[in-house]
């Protein structure tokens, strides 16, 4: 009879030898990690929650004791399994039932002692526990014909193997087979909200700890730094910052002027908690990450996470080992402070199997949401539902913004989400106690810019021109070029990544927010919405297409950002061009924005005016029957009623952002690259096609991929990719991610150009 410790959980082949780990050892490692975790975050869980998590850790892999799994794993390490006679009988049953393999998570449920559980826990809590064990890997129980294995057939398998298990477990092994009934979270079962809440906590923590143990990590979480101490030592707190510090144990919404110190206030609110700081754009994330890392937080304990984070980490002079280590720990949510896009955390709103780790982590974290007004109606709905879940399981959130649509406040209240919010916005004031004047606006009821005025202003000012679409920005740039201006530049999202990053640095150097770094250089930058919240810049004058109210206020924030404007002439010129009307911006919101801003025309637009403006445009009662609000409510209803496990995890990113992006490379750049002596495309492709990469080649592959992506443009597409040359570069071995080579004109001045009749581009 083999010993209990001989039952294996896994094996790995390394340098022609085998590393194995027993189920018993693996389980003990999980318990050790969980105990270490509790020294940091026990207070965020109830005693029942902690006990349920611990039971799941003890039970989740016991199903691997089944003779079939053990025979397979022993054969993989070239050893004989000692129960061939018994295994043969089981094989007959598998064949009779037409079953290939039952996932071990399902079999593990047989080890739940339901009699004991019923003495301590409610029926809903037991269902949540069994569901967490059942689904701790997202493998479906399918027969050889691809249909779901019935509960009765799984029960037969367990009953056959029970006699095998009982040799190693005492008579307490009594199971009602709850774990293989239909009452677990799976595609055809829609549990109550209370069951799902318990389930995501248990399964999320089980997965988080199991991943760490499987990777032989020494910890689940890195102990937090306390950024609030550095903030307190450097600043005399203003009203906004005092409010955030005083309400550090509550969910809060803070509306405050640009330049008032909301970021520092957020750090005071977060204090020493595990923290996630979310922003809508990657450029904003990198900037805030650098700011916090360089001024307030231990650089070894802070990270950033977005779709290109591994490439940006490679740019930070880290060794490849450090990059991979940091990226993997970032993906596991192990860092105490993470700056990221909202989608990196909120995929769980689709209730997909494998996303439970996110809400479970947010339960004991603080979440900062910056610039909430920047999201589409659908994403706003997803955020509201996510905040409801976070609120209901005990997490904390802070929404901070210069412009807060009142409809969001109303929807939070309707969904019973607790929060504190001051009756008035925090306005930046001068020494006399009056709000700082920064913007004097002028509305121009014309569909074209006044180019003569723009050029004249550029003689002694830093002038920013913002267009609603890339195409319009290219047209405006070409017209202004005809004036023979020496200092004129263009920035939008359709430059190759290498040149876009260079331009982002150039615009920050041209119009820095830091007054000590400003030089007496004048000229024009033409851009799009990408400068609204992503770059820390400060221009003297703005000429812009009319947009939605929230977007317009963000644009104004790029002018006289932290300076007083004391002249009696406009420095903000708004043109009703209708560019992007109905495509980039919702028609109703656009119309309401242009209607309400007229009352502020040709005068100083105060910080109080801005709050009144946004409140009028997004008034809940007036928008109640609008398509804009109906989109939010419909998305919120759909996500609330969504059945858990009905959507695959891989679909979440596309569903969350409605992403229809492709990565393209202009044919002219492709030809330049392949004709060079050191052909980066061939070098990369050869590395990608190596069957088993050693460490050295893997490092080379990552660097080459990063280098290659510098010559690409991420774009939105129509359903079919047109102008496609037929040439592709695979970005992974399974060919699911590619660079498409397109026959579109590209130049360093204008970027990727649109073609009217055969376009792949959307604004």
């Amino acid at each position: 009879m083999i010993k209990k410790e001989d039952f294996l959980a896994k094996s790995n082949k390394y340098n022609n030898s085998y590393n194995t780990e027993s189920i018993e050892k693996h389980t003990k490692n999980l318990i050790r990690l969980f105990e270490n975790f509790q020294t940091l975050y026990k207070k965020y869980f109830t005693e029942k929650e902690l006990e349920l998590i611990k039971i799941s850790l003890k039970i989740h892999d016991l199903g691997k004791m089944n003779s079939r799994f053990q025979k397979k794993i022993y054969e993989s390490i070239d050893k004989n399994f000692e129960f061939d006679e018994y295994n043969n009988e089981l094989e007959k049953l598998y064949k009779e039932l037409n079953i290939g393999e039952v996932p071990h998570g399902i079999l593990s449920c047989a080890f739940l002692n339901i009699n004991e559980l019923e003495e301590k826990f409610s029926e809903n809590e037991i269902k949540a526990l069994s569901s967490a064990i059942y689904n701790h890997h997202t493998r479906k129980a399918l027969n050889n014909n691809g249909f779901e294995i019935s509960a009765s057939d799984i029960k037969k398998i367990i009953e056959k193997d029970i006699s095998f298990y009982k040799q190693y477990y005492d008579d307490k092994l009594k199971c009602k087979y709850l774990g293989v009934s239909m009452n677990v979270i799976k595609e055809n079962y829609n549990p109550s909200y209370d069951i799902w809440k318990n389930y995501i906590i248990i399964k999320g923590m089980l997965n988080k700890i199991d991943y760490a143990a499987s990777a032989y990590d020494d910890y689940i979480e890195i102990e937090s730094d306390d950024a609030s101490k550095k903030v307190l030592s450097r600043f005399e707190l203003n009203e906004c910052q005092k409010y955030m510090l005083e309400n550090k144990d509550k969910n809060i919404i803070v509306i405050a002027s640009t330049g008032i110190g909301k970021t520092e206030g957020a750090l005071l609110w977060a204090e020493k908690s595990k923290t996630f700081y979310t922003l809508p754009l990657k450029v904003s994330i990198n900037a805030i990450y650098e700011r916090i890392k360089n001024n307030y937080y231990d650089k070894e304990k802070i990270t950033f996470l977005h779709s290109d984070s591994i490439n940006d980490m490679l740019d930070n002079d880290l060794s490849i080992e450090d990059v991979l280590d940091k990226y993997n720990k970032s993906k596991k949510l192990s860092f105490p402070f993470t700056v990221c896009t909202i989608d990196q955390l909120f995929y769980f709103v689709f209730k997909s199997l494998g996303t439970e780790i996110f809400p479970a982590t947010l339960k004991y974290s603080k979440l900062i949401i910056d610039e909430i007004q920047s999201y589409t109606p659908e994403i706003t709905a997803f955020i509201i539902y996510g905040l409801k879940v976070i609120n209901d399981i005990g997490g904390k959130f802070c929404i901070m913004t210069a412009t807060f649509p009142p409809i969001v406040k109303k929807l939070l209240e309707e969904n019973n989400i607790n929060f504190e919010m001051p009756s008035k916005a925090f306005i930046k004031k001068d020494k006399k106690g009056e709000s700082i004047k920064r913007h004097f606006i002028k509305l121009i009821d014309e569909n074209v810019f006044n180019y003569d005025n723009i050029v004249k202003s550029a003689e002694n000012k830093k002038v920013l021109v913002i267009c609603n679409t890339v195409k319009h920005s290219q047209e405006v740039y070409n017209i202004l070029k005809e004036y023979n201006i020496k200092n004129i530049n263009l920035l939008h999202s359709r430059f190759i990544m290498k040149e876009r990053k260079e331009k982002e640095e150039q615009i920050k150097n041209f119009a820095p927010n830091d007054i000590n770094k400003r030089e007496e250089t004048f000229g024009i930058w033409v851009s799009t919405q990408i400068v609204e919240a992503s770059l820390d810049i400060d221009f003297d004058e703005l000429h812009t297409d009319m947009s939605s109210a929230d977007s317009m206020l963000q644009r104004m924030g790029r002018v006289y950002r932290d300076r007083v404007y004391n002249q009696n002439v406009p420095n903000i010129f708004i043109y009703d061009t209708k560019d992007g009307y109905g495509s980039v911006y919702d028609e109703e919101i656009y119309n309401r924005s242009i209607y309400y801003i007229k009352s502020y025309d040709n005068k100083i637009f105060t910080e109080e005016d801005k709050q009144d403006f946004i409140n009028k445009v997004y008034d809940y009662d007036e928008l109640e029957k609008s398509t804009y609000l109906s989109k939010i409510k419909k998305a919120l209803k759909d996500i609330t009623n969504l059945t858990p496990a009905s959507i695959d995890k891989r679909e979440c990113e596309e569903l969350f952002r409605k992403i229809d992006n492709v990565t393209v490379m202009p044919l002219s750049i492709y030809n330049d690259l392949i004709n060079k002596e050191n052909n980066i495309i061939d070098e990369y492709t050869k590395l990608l096609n190596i069957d088993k990469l050693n460490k050295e080649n893997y490092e080379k592959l990552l660097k080459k991929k990063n280098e290659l992506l510098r010559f690409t443009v991420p774009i939105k597409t129509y359903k079919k990719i047109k102008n496609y040359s037929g040439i592709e570069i695979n970005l992974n071995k399974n060919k699911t991610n590619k660079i498409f080579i397109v026959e579109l004109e590209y130049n360093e001045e204008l970027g990727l150009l649109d073609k009217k009749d055969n376009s792949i581009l959307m604004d």
Side-chain angles (χ1 to χ4, degrees):
M1 180 175 175
I2 63 174
K3 297 177 182 178
K4 202 172 180 180
E5 57 266 24
D6 290 333
F7 287 96
L8 300 181
K10 59 182 177 178
S11 68
N12 296 305
K13 189 174 182 180
Y14 183 73
N15 289 340
N16 296 318
S17 63
Y18 297 98
N19 294 323
T20 61
E21 184 176 47
S22 69
I23 296 172
E24 186 175 41
K25 183 178 179 182
H26 178 63
T27 304
K28 285 180 178 178
N29 196 26
L30 265 69
I31 300 299
R32 176 186 62 81
L33 287 170
F34 184 48
E35 288 172 351
N36 291 342
F37 169 82
Q38 290 184 70
T39 63
L40 296 175
Y41 297 111
K42 181 178 180 179
K43 67 179 181 180
Y44 297 95
F45 296 82
T46 67
E47 288 300 323
K48 271 192 172 184
E49 287 169 344
L50 292 170
E51 193 167 355
L52 287 165
I53 293 166
K54 191 169 184 178
I55 292 169
S56 74
L57 299 176
K58 288 181 176 179
I59 299 294
H60 79 289
D61 262 359
L62 294 184
K64 287 183 176 180
M65 289 182 68
N66 79 80
S67 52
R68 201 170 207 222
F69 181 90
Q70 290 301 311
K71 182 177 181 181
K72 183 172 68 174
I73 201 167
Y74 268 83
E75 285 177 347
S76 74
I77 60 174
D78 300 328
K79 289 187 178 181
N80 292 324
F81 185 62
E82 296 185 19
F83 288 87
D84 283 343
E85 182 179 345
Y86 177 82
N87 197 70
N88 289 337
E89 293 180 24
L90 187 65
E91 288 301 319
K92 290 178 184 178
L93 179 59
Y94 271 99
K95 189 172 182 179
E96 177 187 323
L97 299 174
N98 193 31
I99 294 173
E101 184 175 354
V102 180
H104 71 265
I106 297 173
L107 299 177
S108 293
C109 292
F111 288 85
L112 288 169
N113 190 320
I114 302 302
N115 293 341
E116 285 189 358
L117 291 174
E118 287 176 339
E119 293 176 6
K120 297 181 180 180
F121 305 105
S122 69
E123 182 181 352
N124 283 351
E125 288 167 337
I126 297 171
K127 286 180 179 179
L129 171 64
S130 59
S131 293
I133 295 169
Y134 186 102
N135 290 309
H136 77 271
H137 291 299
T138 56
R139 299 166 190 153
K140 296 181 180 180
L142 304 176
N143 64 23
N144 291 327
N145 294 326
F147 297 107
E148 184 179 2
I149 303 171
S150 68
S152 59
D153 283 351
I154 294 173
K155 184 176 179 181
K156 290 176 185 177
I157 296 292
I158 291 175
E159 286 176 332
K160 182 65 180 173
D161 251 1
I162 281 288
S163 59
F164 178 69
Y165 298 147
K166 278 190 174 180
Q167 299 176 73
Y168 302 94
Y169 281 80
D170 58 30
D171 290 336
K172 289 183 179 179
L173 182 60
K174 296 173 183 176
C175 180
K176 294 180 181 178
Y177 308 109
L178 178 80
V180 292
S181 72
M182 290 296 106
N183 291 328
V184 292
I185 290 175
K186 53 197 294 187
E187 288 181 20
N188 55 357
Y189 171 61
N190 194 5
S192 69
Y193 180 63
D194 285 339
I195 293 175
W196 185 69
K197 279 193 305 178
N198 281 320
Y199 160 76
I200 58 177
I201 293 169
I202 300 166
K203 182 173 184 281
M205 290 306 302
L206 169 57
N207 284 153
K208 191 178 184 81
I209 297 166
D210 195 18
Y211 297 157
S214 297
Y216 301 103
D217 291 340
D218 293 327
Y219 52 83
I220 306 167
E221 296 285 359
I222 303 168
E223 188 171 0
S224 298
D225 192 7
D226 188 352
S228 66
K229 290 181 179 179
K230 290 183 180 178
V231 174
L232 288 168
S233 68
R234 297 180 185 182
F235 293 93
E236 182 178 342
L237 303 188
N238 57 37
E239 287 184 49
C240 175
Q241 293 162 342
K242 286 177 183 176
Y243 176 85
M244 297 177 84
L245 178 61
E246 289 166 0
N247 290 277
K248 63 186 178 184
D249 296 324
K250 299 175 182 177
N251 297 331
I252 60 173
I253 297 174
V254 173
I255 308 170
S257 305
T258 301
I260 207 167
K262 292 191 294 292
T263 299
E264 284 73 18
L267 297 177
L268 292 168
W269 175 80
E271 206 175 35
K272 199 180 178 181
S273 299
K274 182 177 177 70
T275 304
F276 293 93
Y277 191 127
T278 69
L279 285 151
L281 298 172
K282 289 180 283 189
V283 179
S284 311
I285 286 164
N286 292 348
I288 286 290
Y289 163 76
E290 290 294 334
R291 179 178 167 188
I292 296 174
K293 180 192 71 171
N294 294 335
N295 294 288
Y296 303 115
Y297 216 83
D298 183 342
K299 66 179 181 179
E300 301 299 326
K301 294 186 175 186
I302 184 171
T303 190
F304 59 97
L305 195 57
H306 52 66
S307 58
D308 289 329
S309 53
I310 193 166
N311 296 322
D312 289 343
M313 287 175 186
L314 283 167
D315 289 339
N316 279 349
D317 297 325
L318 294 173
S319 68
I320 200 75
E321 292 89 348
D322 289 341
V323 166
L324 292 176
D325 181 61
K326 184 167 188 172
Y327 180 71
N328 289 330
K329 287 176 182 173
S330 301
K331 293 293 286 184
K332 291 177 184 176
L333 311 182
S334 294
F335 278 86
F337 203 110
T338 303
V339 188
C340 60
T341 47
I342 197 80
D343 53 294
Q344 295 290 333
L345 302 175
F346 271 53
Y347 291 147
F348 75 86
V349 298
F350 295 105
K351 306 172 188 175
S352 302
L353 297 179
T355 62
E356 301 86 356
I357 190 172
F358 301 106
T361 302
L362 290 168
K363 174 179 171 59
Y364 57 90
S365 304
K366 286 189 172 179
L367 172 68
I368 299 163
I369 300 179
D370 200 354
E371 309 298 352
I372 195 170
Q373 79 288 339
S374 300
Y375 297 103
T376 63
E378 289 82 4
I379 295 178
T380 300
F382 300 155
I383 292 172
I384 290 169
Y385 183 73
L387 291 178
K388 174 177 175 56
V389 175
I390 292 165
N391 174 76
D392 291 350
I393 64 175
K396 291 287 182 287
F397 67 83
C398 163
I399 297 172
M400 59 180 198
T401 179
T403 55
F404 184 66
I407 58 172
V408 176
K409 178 177 181 287
K410 184 71 172 177
L411 290 167
L412 290 170
E413 291 170 341
E414 287 180 353
N415 284 274
N416 300 313
I417 301 169
N418 301 319
F419 61 88
E420 295 287 330
M421 181 178 176
S423 57
K424 293 183 179 180
F426 293 104
I427 305 299
K428 192 165 186 180
K429 298 180 179 180
D430 59 23
K431 293 179 181 179
K432 296 180 181 179
E434 298 178 354
S435 63
I436 293 177
K437 298 176 176 63
R438 302 189 296 147
H439 304 126
F440 189 123
I441 67 172
K442 176 65 180 174
L443 297 179
I444 301 170
D445 191 18
E446 296 179 11
N447 60 4
V448 293
F449 289 123
N450 188 323
Y451 295 102
D452 291 335
N453 284 352
I454 292 172
V455 172
K456 183 173 178 58
S457 291
E459 293 175 1
N460 58 6
K461 294 176 184 175
K462 300 177 189 290
V463 180
L464 179 62
V465 180
I466 300 182
C467 303
N468 291 347
T469 61
V470 172
K471 186 176 180 180
H472 190 212
S473 73
Q474 292 169 330
E475 292 170 352
V476 169
Y477 175 82
N478 279 331
I479 292 170
L480 287 170
K481 282 282 289 185
E482 294 175 3
Y483 284 83
N484 295 318
I485 304 168
K486 289 183 179 179
N487 197 351
I488 180 170
N489 292 276
L490 175 66
L491 170 63
H492 53 67
S493 61
R494 291 196 201 136
F495 285 99
I496 61 173
M497 295 306 295
K498 173 177 173 289
E499 290 169 5
R500 177 174 166 177
K501 285 187 176 182
E502 290 171 357
K503 287 177 175 289
E504 286 170 353
E505 288 303 312
Q506 289 167 8
I507 193 173
K508 286 191 288 187
N509 291 332
F510 175 77
N513 186 34
D514 188 344
I515 197 166
N516 297 317
K517 295 180 180 178
R518 290 179 71 86
E519 297 179 359
E520 291 297 310
T521 54
F522 309 114
I524 303 169
W525 273 84
V526 181
S527 189
T528 58
Q529 301 97 315
I530 65 170
V531 300
E532 285 181 10
S534 60
L535 298 172
D536 195 14
I537 53 178
D538 182 16
F539 279 77
D540 300 319
E541 186 170 293
L542 171 68
H543 292 254
T544 177
D545 289 333
M546 183 61 199
S547 64
S548 63
D550 51 286
S551 176
M552 182 57 60
L553 296 183
Q554 288 294 115
R555 295 178 185 193
M556 291 184 191
R558 307 305 105 188
V559 175
Y560 271 79
R561 186 169 174 80
D562 199 21
R563 293 179 288 156
V564 177
Y565 187 70
N566 51 23
Q567 298 182 45
N568 200 34
V569 293
N571 63 349
I572 307 289
F573 297 86
I574 303 169
Y575 300 77
D576 188 14
T577 63
K578 295 290 191 297
D579 186 43
Y581 181 74
S583 56
V584 179
Y585 297 107
D586 178 89
E587 290 182 14
E588 288 170 286
I589 298 300
Y590 184 102
N591 291 337
R592 289 175 64 82
S593 299
I594 192 71
Y595 173 78
Y596 282 112
I597 204 168
K598 287 178 180 178
S599 60
Y600 308 104
D601 182 27
N602 208 33
K603 60 183 179 181
I604 287 288
F605 193 36
T606 68
E607 298 302 302
E608 289 86 354
D609 290 338
K610 293 172 187 177
Q611 299 304 323
D612 290 338
F613 174 51
I614 201 81
N615 288 338
K616 288 174 183 175
V617 172
Y618 287 100
D619 180 85
Y620 184 88
D621 293 333
E622 291 186 16
L623 283 170
E624 194 163 13
K625 295 181 180 179
S626 69
T627 56
Y628 179 84
L629 186 54
S630 66
K631 283 180 184 178
I632 298 179
K633 287 192 169 184
K634 182 182 184 303
L636 190 52
K637 182 180 179 181
D638 290 345
I639 205 78
T640 301
N641 296 333
L642 191 64
T643 302
S646 60
I647 293 178
D648 191 276
K649 182 182 177 183
R650 288 172 294 183
E651 299 176 53
C652 291
E653 181 178 355
E654 185 175 339
L655 286 168
F656 193 94
R657 286 193 176 270
K658 293 202 168 179
I659 291 173
D660 189 19
N661 280 4
V662 293
T663 302
V664 304
M665 180 185 291
L667 183 61
S668 58
I669 291 178
Y670 173 81
N671 288 332
D672 286 344
L673 290 176
I674 62 172
N675 289 324
K676 286 185 177 179
E677 186 175 344
N678 296 319
N679 183 341
I680 182 179
I681 296 174
D682 280 351
E683 291 174 1
Y684 167 76
T685 304
K686 286 175 184 177
L687 288 165
L688 185 66
N689 290 331
I690 296 174
D691 285 336
K692 292 185 178 181
L693 289 169
N694 58 28
K695 181 181 176 183
E696 182 182 356
N697 283 333
Y698 184 61
E699 291 177 6
K700 288 180 181 178
L701 178 67
L702 279 180
K703 288 179 179 178
K704 289 296 177 185
K705 182 178 180 180
N706 191 43
E707 188 178 345
L708 185 62
L709 288 171
R710 293 172 189 269
F711 297 93
T712 65
V713 183
I715 61 169
K716 292 182 180 180
T717 67
Y718 291 115
K719 290 182 180 179
K720 292 184 179 179
I721 302 174
K722 298 177 181 179
N723 297 103
Y724 164 47
S725 67
I727 304 170
E728 301 170 358
I729 302 171
N730 293 315
L731 288 173
N732 51 25
K733 285 184 180 294
N734 58 16
K735 301 179 181 180
T736 56
N737 196 2
K738 301 179 179 183
I739 298 172
F740 296 91
I741 313 304
V742 292
E743 296 175 337
L744 289 172
E745 185 181 346
Y746 182 89
N747 65 55
E748 291 182 4
E749 265 196 289
L750 295 173
L752 199 63
L753 298 177
D754 202 349
K755 289 184 178 180
K756 288 184 180 178
D757 300 327
N758 196 23
S759 175
I760 64 168
L761 304 181
M762 290 181 67
D763 288 304

